[in-house]
Amino acid sequence: MTDTAAPSENRYIVPALAQGLGILSLFGGENRSFTAPEIAKALSLPRTKVFRLLQTLQSMDYVRCDEDKRHFTLGPALLRGGFEYLASLDMVEVAQPILQRLRDETGLSSHMAIRDKREIVYVARFPARSTIASSVNIGTRFPAHATIMGRMTIFEMDDKELAALFGKEPLVRFTPQTPVSLKALKALLAQDRARGYAVSQAFFEAGVSAIAAPVRDGTGKVAAAINVTAVNAHIDEQAMHGALKDAVLNAASEISRWLARKS
Amino acid sequence: MTDTAAPSENRYIVPALAQGLGILSLFGGENRSFTAPEIAKALSLPRTKVFRLLQTLQSMDYVRCDEDKRHFTLGPALLRGGFEYLASLDMVEVAQPILQRLRDETGLSSHMAIRDKREIVYVARFPARSTIASSVNIGTRFPAHATIMGRMTIFEMDDKELAALFGKEPLVRFTPQTPVSLKALKALLAQDRARGYAVSQAFFEAGVSAIAAPVRDGTGKVAAAINVTAVNAHIDEQAMHGALKDAVLNAASEISRWLARKS
DNA sequence: CGTCACTGTTCCATTAGTGAAACGACAGTT
DNA sequence: AACTGTCGTTTCACTAATGGAACAGTGACG
């Protein structure tokens, strides 16, 4: 599911570090615990090295092992990095009140996400008051090509960058509308670029509509995306491209302006 | 502030991995960005190795570098680990509704924390509705010796374990009531053990009262702690050792029972 | 405008981390 | 019980990661 740790074709890579981090990124989703041999097979590393890497990770509390001494799970040291990173993101702090206002104005759930390789990660959210709270928690990851927020984070990339990101592995289909070829994705991105925002037509999840807009940092580069989401039944096409679109775009550019002021 | 990456006296440690993770744990609090030489000095590593470690971390998006190519900040890959870890904690899922009920019953903010070395980390919380929301966010870290939740997570340790944890570095004082010697801490722990819960007398933050109780996993080992907090003015000594104590203890044992059922 | 200190990057001999083989321990199978 | 497979752990020869020295590029300072 998640991207396997790609060692990447860099000249100055420290294998031990890359492999150790590779172990950590094995965990995720349903995979909550591994044995040493399982890890060795998954990463095709020698048994003995996995043993030493695990010893190192364990001694620093990045992983823990059960009483049976065989199964390893993630450890609390990971929270150090993860939350320090969230706290370091100025944009989350800046966006918080604006997202809240967007939620209150539209009555819909508002979210903010950043891109990590081929995925987007939710970093802030305000669930709609009325309906059932959106099940999207902070930290949730979705494929970038299949979500409009994802497309917002890549819609100013040139062909070379896009090829580097999506050229290797095929684009996974989630709904009939999901773009599965680089050409189809580029067509959508061109449309997004022209509009400056995007409206979801169930590219990722059927029955869920959304409007997303890009957030730019001080240099003008797209740094994140925000959106509002609703179930299809509760929203009409007119409003999406009208007042709702304006609300999202305004919120996005307001966040961008605050970010520019910071740098 | 945060514990520097302790290589620990293990026989099978992979330095490159430990040092790379050491770089990541340099970040935190006010330290949002570092240059390569700064890192080299902080960890007393050769310039050339820091360079390669950073290249590796960067290629995997654990760190990013600014446009000036000099300053490094944390990267989005860290969210992978951090949130996968939170999601892997069954106890958070189990505790959520019980903490919410505890908050509603008592009218106070309820929290849950786990221990990471000498610190506790907040992993769940329900802020009080009435008063100003508690400023303690998920991921927040406090010293274990100076908080009653911290003491709950260590109050069944024997002398050897305590010495290993707290013997090296001195205990920092936060208020006049904070235990600053191992002896003083042990006295408090003995008291905690006798009672089975703890009441804060401003050990960490002046003006804030709290009641904490331990949560045990399937094996009976203390795995976490929960508490409720309030400002002193809003609470009287009687209630703290009476009904309030019972509510917290009941919630804690309820969570423990659910955890036992899982294993 | 040269000097100096400091940076990011590269090279290369040397050492330190590595992987295959091997050990004892355990569990399942015949 | 002996056999087979797999596990965690240890050892050791040898390969690969390492750290010092050296390079070029930057900005500071007199």
Side-chain angles (χ1 to χ4, degrees):
Chain A
M1 287 299 148
T2 8
D3 264 344
T4 309
S8 167
E9 58 294 310
N10 192 312
R11 200 170 156 196
Y12 298 104
I13 290 279
V14 182
L17 178 55
Q19 291 155 0
L21 294 171
I23 291 180
L24 292 181
S25 54
L26 272 182
F27 295 85
E30 298 304 310
N31 311 110
R32 293 188 172 187
S33 100
F34 289 97
T35 64
E38 282 170 353
I39 295 171
K41 275 160 208 153
L43 301 175
S44 44
L45 290 173
R47 265 153 30 88
T48 168
K49 185 163 201 183
V50 171
F51 172 70
R52 281 183 293 234
L53 291 173
L54 282 173
Q55 293 276 331
T56 306
L57 289 172
Q58 190 184 355
S59 79
M60 304 178 81
D61 272 330
Y62 282 87
V63 299
R64 287 203 157 151
C65 73
D66 298 355
E67 313 83 61
D68 65 347
K69 287 255 184 186
R70 293 174 160 263
H71 284 270
F72 288 84
T73 57
L74 294 178
L78 285 162
L79 291 178
R80 266 177 262 186
F83 285 95
E84 297 297 3
Y85 173 63
L86 259 196
S88 77
L89 280 178
D90 291 329
M91 64 177 97
V92 174
E93 216 173 320
V94 168
Q96 215 79 32
I98 300 168
L99 284 177
Q100 185 170 8
R101 183 150 47 80
L102 180 61
R103 184 266 309 265
D104 294 338
E105 279 174 15
T106 61
L108 305 175
S109 300
S110 63
H111 311 87
M112 174 154 137
I114 59 168
R115 188 177 57 81
D116 175 22
K117 309 235 185 211
R118 291 165 60 120
E119 297 177 322
I120 56 167
V121 194
Y122 279 70
V123 292
R125 60 152 201 163
F126 280 89
R129 291 189 200 278
S130 53
T131 63
I132 309 154
S134 75
S135 60
V136 182
N137 281 313
I138 292 178
T140 302
R141 286 169 176 267
F142 288 144
H145 74 279
T147 54
I148 51 170
M149 278 225 275
R151 268 161 42 203
M152 290 296 99
T153 64
I154 58 171
F155 80 142
E156 284 187 345
M157 282 187 170
D158 57 39
D159 284 11
K160 204 175 65 186
E161 290 174 302
L162 286 172
L165 247 191
F166 297 103
K168 299 164 200 166
E169 296 169 56
L171 302 179
V172 181
R173 179 187 294 284
F174 291 90
T175 72
Q177 285 78 23
T178 309
V180 289
S181 71
L182 202 49
K183 209 178 80 184
L185 179 59
K186 280 180 187 172
L188 286 170
L189 292 177
Q191 186 184 305
D192 295 339
R193 215 174 299 131
R195 283 189 187 161
Y197 68 98
V199 170
S200 169
Q201 290 146 351
F203 284 93
F204 182 65
E205 205 168 358
V208 175
S209 292
I211 308 171
V215 172
R216 296 166 190 281
D217 63 16
T219 69
K221 212 179 70 218
V222 176
I226 63 169
N227 78 354
V228 294
T229 58
V231 293
N232 271 337
H234 292 174
I235 205 164
D236 66 286
E237 192 85 8
Q238 299 291 337
M240 284 183 82
H241 286 278
L244 222 45
K245 170 209 80 179
D246 291 332
V248 176
L249 276 174
N250 284 338
S253 62
E254 192 174 350
I255 298 171
S256 302
R257 256 179 282 125
W258 276 102
L259 290 178
R261 205 167 303 181
K262 279 225 164 190
S263 53
Chain B
M1 288 300 144
T2 8
D3 265 343
T4 309
S8 167
E9 58 294 313
N10 191 314
R11 198 169 157 198
Y12 298 104
I13 290 279
V14 182
L17 178 54
Q19 290 155 1
L21 295 171
I23 291 180
L24 292 181
S25 53
L26 271 183
F27 295 85
E30 298 304 310
N31 311 110
R32 292 187 171 190
S33 100
F34 289 97
T35 64
E38 282 170 354
I39 295 171
K41 275 159 209 153
L43 301 175
S44 45
L45 289 173
R47 268 152 27 87
T48 166
K49 185 162 201 183
V50 170
F51 172 70
R52 282 183 293 234
L53 291 173
L54 282 173
Q55 292 276 330
T56 306
L57 290 172
Q58 189 183 356
S59 79
M60 303 178 83
D61 272 329
Y62 281 87
V63 299
R64 286 202 158 151
C65 70
D66 298 355
E67 313 83 60
D68 64 349
K69 286 255 187 186
R70 293 174 159 263
H71 284 270
F72 288 83
T73 56
L74 294 177
L78 284 162
L79 291 177
R80 268 176 260 185
F83 285 95
E84 297 297 1
Y85 172 63
L86 257 197
S88 77
L89 280 180
D90 291 329
M91 64 178 97
V92 174
E93 216 172 320
V94 168
Q96 216 78 34
I98 300 169
L99 284 177
Q100 186 168 9
R101 182 149 47 80
L102 180 60
R103 185 265 309 264
D104 294 338
E105 279 174 12
T106 61
L108 305 175
S109 300
S110 63
H111 310 89
M112 175 153 134
I114 59 168
R115 187 177 58 82
D116 175 22
K117 309 235 184 212
R118 290 165 59 119
E119 297 177 322
I120 57 167
V121 194
Y122 279 71
V123 293
R125 62 152 201 163
F126 280 90
R129 291 188 201 278
S130 52
T131 64
I132 309 151
S134 75
S135 60
V136 183
N137 281 314
I138 292 179
T140 301
R141 286 167 177 268
F142 288 144
H145 74 280
T147 54
I148 51 172
M149 278 224 276
R151 267 158 47 201
M152 289 297 99
T153 64
I154 58 171
F155 80 143
E156 283 186 345
M157 283 187 169
D158 56 39
D159 285 9
K160 205 175 65 187
E161 290 174 301
L162 286 173
L165 247 190
F166 297 103
K168 298 164 201 165
E169 297 170 55
L171 303 180
V172 181
R173 178 187 295 284
F174 291 90
T175 72
Q177 285 78 24
T178 309
V180 289
S181 72
L182 202 49
K183 208 177 81 183
L185 179 58
K186 280 180 186 172
L188 286 170
L189 292 177
Q191 185 183 306
D192 295 340
R193 215 174 298 128
R195 284 188 186 160
Y197 68 98
V199 170
S200 168
Q201 290 144 352
F203 283 94
F204 182 64
E205 204 167 359
V208 174
S209 292
I211 308 171
V215 173
R216 296 166 189 281
D217 63 17
T219 69
K221 212 177 71 219
V222 175
I226 63 169
N227 79 353
V228 294
T229 59
V231 293
N232 272 335
H234 292 172
I235 205 165
D236 67 287
E237 191 86 10
Q238 298 291 336
M240 283 183 82
H241 285 278
L244 222 45
K245 171 208 81 178
D246 291 334
V248 176
L249 276 174
N250 283 339
S253 64
E254 192 174 350
I255 298 171
S256 302
R257 255 180 282 126
W258 277 102
L259 289 178
R261 205 168 301 179
K262 279 225 164 188
S263 53

